[in-house]
Amino acid sequence: DADGIEYQTCDSCTCPDKEDLGALSHTQTTDPPRKYFDIVDDDPAYPDDVFEYYFGVARTEYQSVRDAADTILEDCSTVDTTMRGLIWVDGYCNLAGKEVSSAIAPVALVATGGISLNSNTILYGVLIITDPEIQPEDQAEDAIPVTLNGAPVVYGAVLNDPGAATFNGGFTVVYIKDILKKIFPLIILGNLSGSWTDQVTFN
């Protein structure tokens, strides 16, 4: 071009399929599922409570996180693209058909009463599904309702308690580091060493 810079395009680019070339884990139906470096099982350094690790506050002190929220809601009926910062939802959060926040100003949405997402749901930021009043080891299986229909998308990360119901159906989490950096204010926002980069489960 006029500046003397040469550009190249790729008309047949493919993702690497070998771990030493940077291939990532996947569960695509067209290829055999594979698990590589981006998934670590049974890491001894994994924290006992990701709520505490993420927010920097013991789970028993969760009220201080709630009090620091930019918005506290009874449900998600008013959630939309204008939401910013830390959103705490006390009741059931139905996000069916909703677009939450934006890539420019993402949210950390804490759903404490269960959640529903469908194919029209798009969320920018961190979705946290938790029952902060019960310690992880004391939570009953499927105690926190989670309903997934279609293929909702979260651009950021998802964290959930072990009591959250199984994620059935199509569900996409797209890890975008810049989006996570833009969430403000959170007490602590850091990468969890030894975890998969886009989905973490409270243990």
Side-chain angles (χ1 to χ4, degrees):
D1 63 15
D3 297 323
I5 301 174
E6 294 183 4
Y7 294 92
Q8 294 181 340
T9 61
C10 178
D11 297 322
S12 60
C13 297
T14 59
C15 293
D17 59 1
K18 298 187 184 319
E19 185 171 11
D20 59 354
L21 297 177
L24 300 177
S25 304
H26 77 82
T27 56
Q28 297 176 7
T29 57
T30 56
D31 296 303
R34 64 188 183 209
K35 185 172 74 171
Y36 288 152
F37 68 91
D38 54 325
I39 296 179
V40 178
D41 291 330
D42 300 322
D43 185 351
Y46 200 88
D48 292 333
D49 192 336
V50 180
F51 184 96
E52 180 175 355
Y53 182 95
Y54 187 76
F55 287 113
V57 173
R59 181 177 289 254
T60 54
E61 302 298 323
Y62 78 88
Q63 190 68 41
S64 64
V65 178
R66 183 182 182 277
D67 292 343
D70 295 275
T71 306
I72 299 175
L73 301 172
E74 288 296 320
D75 56 41
C76 289
S77 59
T78 59
V79 170
D80 58 23
T81 57
T82 66
M83 307 303 286
R84 302 290 184 268
L86 178 59
I87 313 300
W88 187 281
V89 184
D90 287 325
Y92 188 75
C93 180
N94 185 352
L95 292 179
K98 292 185 176 291
E99 185 170 343
V100 185
S101 193
S102 67
I104 296 174
V107 297
L109 191 150
V110 183
T112 64
I115 192 163
S116 175
L117 307 97
N118 71 5
S119 58
N120 295 319
T121 303
I122 300 175
L123 184 145
Y124 296 90
V126 179
L127 172 60
I128 303 160
I129 306 169
T130 181
D131 183 346
E133 295 187 349
I134 302 178
Q135 292 297 322
E137 64 272 15
D138 296 328
Q139 292 185 11
E141 185 177 353
D142 296 339
I144 305 171
V146 176
T147 302
L148 298 176
N149 294 306
V153 180
V154 173
Y155 292 100
V158 175
L159 296 84
N160 61 273
D161 278 354
T166 303
F167 288 20
N168 293 317
F171 180 57
T172 302
V173 180
V174 181
Y175 173 76
I176 302 177
K177 187 175 182 179
D178 287 344
I179 285 181
L180 299 183
K181 285 182 176 180
K182 292 176 181 175
I183 298 173
F184 181 83
L186 287 182
I187 297 171
I188 282 183
L189 178 59
N191 295 324
L192 179 56
S193 176
S195 76
W196 190 25
T197 54
D198 61 0
Q199 183 168 353
V200 181
T201 299
F202 293 135
N203 281 320

